[in-house]
Amino acid sequence: QVQLVESGGGLVQPGGSQRLSCSASGSLFRLLYMGWYRQAPGKQRELVAIITSGGSTNYADSVKGRFTISRDNAKITAYLQMNSLKPEDTAVYYCYANLYTNVNRRSDYWGQGTQVTVSS
């Protein structure tokens, strides 16, 4: 089955940077979207950034100009470069993918989540 494996995250000081990666493995027919959601304590999960197989990107207003999402189609991997981090960015970041496992079956997949903590 398709599996999303995340790496990166950890503790970073305000104003610092972090890079997350997410790799998809297993049987898939076509990848449509890949990106990250995040969930902070007491908050609902929100979209952070997403990239399509064609390279189009979308960002939450709160991260626009600070975060950059990119992809490596050959490796089926997405990267999230997070700069100028703020304490408000503290959350568990979940990789997300929407893809076809075959020509007629489209499904959502989630990574295991990685903690990003922005604090002095």
Side-chain angles (χ1 to χ4, degrees), residues 31-111:
L31 179 66
L32 298 177
Y33 309 98
M34 202 167 182
W36 276 265
Y37 286 71
R38 68 185 181 187
Q39 188 164 19
K43 303 288 184 64
Q44 57 186 349
R45 190 172 297 186
E46 65 173 349
L47 176 69
V48 178
I50 197 163
I51 188 167
T52 71
S53 60
S56 298
T57 58
N58 284 298
Y59 298 92
D61 289 341
S62 60
V63 308
K64 194 171 296 183
R66 300 187 297 120
F67 291 12
T68 302
I69 189 168
S70 60
R71 80 198 191 286
D72 183 336
N73 285 344
K75 296 180 179 180
I76 319 178
T77 300
Y79 305 91
L80 184 67
Q81 180 66 46
M82 305 183 294
N83 297 328
S84 301
L85 283 162
K86 306 174 181 179
E88 306 92 90
D89 296 317
T90 296
V92 177
Y93 285 69
Y94 296 92
C95 181
Y96 163 83
N98 183 260
L99 54 85
Y100 282 95
T101 54
N102 59 58
V103 69
N104 294 316
R105 191 169 185 175
R106 182 174 174 177
S107 301
D108 296 330
Y109 292 88
W110 294 91

